[in-house]
Structures are given as C-alpha cells and as structure tokens.
Amino acid sequence: MLGLKLPTDPRWASIAEKNLEEILTDHAYCEQKAASTAISLIVSFPEYSDLVSEMTALAREEMGHFKMVHDKLLKRGYIMGRDRKDEYVLQLLKFFPKGGSRVTQLVHRLLIAALIEARSCERFRLLSEKLQEEELRDFYRNLMVSEANHYTLFLNFAREYGDRKEVDLKWQELLEFEAEVMKGLSKTQSIHG
C-alpha cells in the first residue's frame, strides 16, 4: 500500500526498544515538525483553500500526537531531550531541484511530506508488532493508521494540483531515491534513521 521500495530491517525495532527514551524524544519532535510542515504549507500556499482547511486540521492533529508522545515521556520519568538533525529528511530534501513554478514547488513539498508519512507509518507498524510492552504496541498501532491517512492526503493533493502523470513519475523516482537513502540508515534510535 505504501509503495516503499526498501522495507525497514525488522531489527530496527529491537534498537528502538532498547532506546525508548531516544525513540520517544525523536518521535515527539517528528510530530512537532509534521505540525510545522502543515502550518508552513498554509503560509506558503494560502490560495489553495482546500489545502489550507486540511492542513489546519492536520496541524491540530499532529500537535495532539506531540502531546500524547510527550505524555508517554513524562509517564516514564523522561525529560524530552533536544531536537536532533533528521538525516533522513535532510537527504530527501536534496532530491528535487530548487525553484520552479509555485505549483511545482507545492507538488515537491507534498510528495516529500507524503513519503515521510509513509515511512513513519511503516516504522509505527513495526513498533506495533515488535515492542514487548502492550500499551506501546497499541499506541503505535493507532498512530500507524493516522500516518497512513496523512500519506494519502499529501499524495492526493500532489496529484490534484500537479499533472497526474508527471506527479506519479516523480513519486516513483522519489521512492527509488528514498530506498537508496534508507540503505545507509535504520541503524540508529530515531524514527526515520
């Protein structure tokens, strides 16, 4: 369903489980960044009323997820650490050339957002299946469904605003690029790395 070309090595879930404080902190920042992305799309492309409406709802939802993850941190006696660079996202942002028309810029941002959500969904599925703690398995199973919905939301907007055939080609190329990026990751205690 997600179309990812390289699945995460299932051993990543063991790394995650051994480093829950790091995973939860990284996850909290991922949710905050997802809310920021939605807000940035509103600010950058206010002329797309349906996008603005959906991104407004998404920003609220992502901040709700942030609170849920932060609450998990606090419940465990952890304090949220500092934000780290997300090497995965930094690599994805290099894929599309800078510039182009506003529509092209919008489509590129939507495709990258869709891919980040798709990978998050896949990672949350692994956590929901592999973690020992039932409460966390359930937590990640519920979030997995949200991420899948976000992935399709971004991808559908890209297809609506751009030329469908061109968007689908760019999507496949981005998926191939992401698979290469992932070959160098999946070894650290972060949601995408």
Side-chain angles (χ1 to χ4, degrees):
M1 175 192 103
L2 299 171
L4 299 172
K5 302 294 184 187
L6 182 68
T8 295
D9 184 328
R11 293 176 293 185
W12 171 83
S14 296
I15 294 170
E17 187 156 41
K18 291 175 185 157
N19 298 280
L20 280 177
E21 183 174 7
E22 288 295 316
I23 283 291
L24 289 169
T25 295
D26 187 62
H27 180 186
Y29 280 111
C30 288
E31 298 294 352
Q32 178 270 317
K33 290 171 188 171
S36 294
T37 295
I39 292 167
S40 176
L41 287 167
I42 292 167
V43 172
S44 299
F45 302 98
E47 67 272 26
Y48 294 94
S49 298
D50 51 346
L51 179 70
V52 170
S53 295
E54 290 293 335
M55 292 302 106
T56 301
L58 182 61
R60 274 194 304 260
E61 182 181 346
E62 297 289 18
M63 285 311 294
H65 293 170
F66 170 85
K67 180 176 180 353
M68 292 179 349
V69 178
H70 189 250
D71 289 347
K72 294 272 183 223
L73 280 161
L74 295 177
K75 181 179 175 185
R76 292 168 179 278
Y78 302 149
I79 295 173
M80 196 165 120
R82 290 180 133 331
D83 190 14
R84 299 118 173 111
K85 288 183 180 177
D86 189 330
E87 192 58 37
Y88 172 78
V89 173
L90 291 173
Q91 291 298 317
L92 291 184
L93 291 173
K94 294 176 183 178
F95 181 72
F96 290 118
K98 302 286 184 225
S101 71
R102 282 183 56 72
V103 170
T104 298
Q105 292 174 40
L106 173 59
V107 166
H108 291 171
R109 287 178 65 182
L110 291 167
L111 289 175
I112 288 172
L115 186 49
I116 292 167
E117 296 287 348
R119 182 59 70 182
S120 296
C121 178
E122 187 242 11
R123 291 282 173 104
F124 292 170
R125 180 189 57 76
L126 275 175
L127 293 174
S128 76
E129 294 171 351
K130 304 285 185 189
L131 291 177
Q132 297 297 313
E133 193 177 317
E134 184 177 356
E135 179 187 347
L136 278 179
R137 282 196 317 267
D138 292 343
F139 177 67
Y140 279 106
R141 187 173 300 108
N142 292 332
L143 287 177
M144 175 186 67
V145 174
S146 289
E147 300 303 306
N149 290 335
H150 301 165
Y151 146 73
T152 57
L153 176 71
F154 285 120
L155 187 56
N156 288 338
F157 271 131
R159 288 172 171 159
E160 178 182 337
Y161 298 139
D163 174 77
R164 173 67 186 256
K165 190 174 180 179
E166 186 177 315
V167 168
D168 286 346
L169 177 61
K170 287 180 178 187
W171 177 242
Q172 290 306 310
E173 292 170 348
L174 181 59
L175 288 169
E176 294 292 339
F177 176 78
E178 192 258 3
E180 291 302 313
V181 168
M182 289 305 294
K183 287 179 183 176
L185 300 175
S186 298
K187 299 170 180 79
T188 64
Q189 60 270 12
S190 64
I191 293 297
H192 299 120

